Amino acid sequence: MTEPTEPTAGPERVARVVLVDDHRMFRTGVRAEIGRTEVTGIDVVGEADDVESAVQVVAATRPDVVLLDVHLPGGGGVEVLRRSAPLMSDPAGVRFLALSVSDAAEDVIGVIRGGARGYVTKTITGADLVNAIFRISDGDAVFSPRLAGFVLDAFAATDTPPVDEDLDRLTQREREVLRLIARGYAYKEIAKQLFISVKTVESHVSAVLRKLQLSNRHELTRWATARRLV
């Protein structure tokens, strides 16, 4: 007769997490990868796909950590951070970890300035993401290795990120349209992505070209690429 086996011990602690990303399949994949609480210690308590729903879910659930995409309909991750600022003010308050496909300096500096505790790209492994979540929950700052250097450089001298006067002329929505144009999206695709009309996209593109004194989307793409916005 075999000896009875001891029950497998569960995780020593649990971190409550909210996933904010406008791609449902990506959220499903992250939940499947890290959301097995009995194994990883991560309890996914909510999801959101735009700024408004993110603010509501975070306020309702008060998670330990929010995994926040940078590019979201309704104003982007920076707007979520701005509207969630009261929840971050307490030492034991909600903490934000940016999880994005973008490794553009402007995106990283923007969300760190907004209050996020770290920034990792979507190439991160599931195990490393779990580790990053717990470190953020403990109050550490976490960055993907290739991003840490310029984050430190940007804040080393003055505690404020460098100013790009040309970029500062653009509104948040114009920046979102700029990035998508530079990535090769068609107007219809941008409209669908941002939940706006094609006519509104055209208006934003015209405004961006005028403010930056550019002639066409090809020049715009070169301008954005030179600033690592894509």
Side-chain angles (χ1 to χ4, degrees):
M1 186 174 66
T2 59
E3 293 293 327
T5 58
E6 292 293 328
T8 302
E12 295 182 358
R13 54 185 294 205
V14 172
R16 300 172 67 254
V17 172
V18 164
L19 305 177
V20 180
D21 193 285
D22 61 340
H23 292 93
R24 182 179 59 83
M25 290 184 64
F26 179 76
R27 297 198 311 272
T28 299
V30 173
R31 180 186 281 270
E33 181 74 18
I34 72 171
R36 296 166 294 150
T37 309
E38 70 284 357
V39 176
T40 63
I42 302 299
D43 181 14
V44 179
V45 297
E47 297 184 18
D49 61 3
D50 60 17
V51 168
E52 192 61 38
S53 61
V55 172
Q56 293 177 3
V57 170
V58 171
T61 59
R62 302 291 181 98
D64 299 306
V65 176
V66 178
L67 292 181
L68 179 68
D69 193 12
V70 174
H71 303 129
L72 293 169
V78 171
E79 181 65 12
V80 176
L81 290 163
R82 186 187 70 79
R83 295 175 58 181
S84 302
L87 302 179
M88 295 187 282
S89 59
D90 189 287
V94 178
R95 294 186 170 95
F96 287 79
L97 172 62
L99 175 61
S100 176
V101 69
S102 171
D103 62 358
E106 193 264 345
D107 287 337
V108 179
I109 300 303
V111 294
I112 298 305
R113 176 168 53 186
R117 296 289 302 175
Y119 194 116
V120 294
T121 61
K122 290 181 177 179
T123 57
I124 192 171
T125 66
D128 286 343
L129 182 57
V130 169
N131 180 60
I133 289 169
F134 280 110
R135 288 179 59 192
I136 291 291
S137 180
D138 288 338
D140 291 343
V142 179
F143 296 93
S144 292
R146 64 176 299 183
L147 306 182
F150 67 73
V151 171
L152 292 173
D153 290 343
F155 285 90
T158 62
D159 289 335
T160 57
V163 174
D164 186 324
E165 293 183 359
D166 289 334
L167 193 62
D168 283 349
R169 295 191 184 102
L170 306 182
T171 67
Q172 180 65 36
R173 178 46 59 88
E174 288 169 351
R175 296 184 191 192
E176 292 175 347
V177 172
L178 164 65
R179 291 190 188 95
L180 293 175
I181 284 289
R183 290 171 184 165
Y185 282 69
Y187 285 4
K188 288 184 179 179
E189 295 172 322
I190 295 172
K192 183 177 180 180
Q193 178 89 351
L194 300 180
F195 299 96
I196 57 180
S197 69
V198 173
K199 186 175 181 179
T200 301
V201 174
E202 293 173 348
S203 297
H204 285 313
V205 172
S206 295
V208 170
L209 292 174
R210 183 180 68 255
K211 290 180 180 181
L212 300 180
Q213 299 182 340
L214 301 174
S215 300
N216 53 55
R217 64 181 297 163
H218 300 295
E219 291 184 1
L220 186 152
T221 299
R222 288 197 296 269
W223 186 93
T225 301
R227 286 163 172 78
R228 298 188 65 207
L229 300 180
V230 294

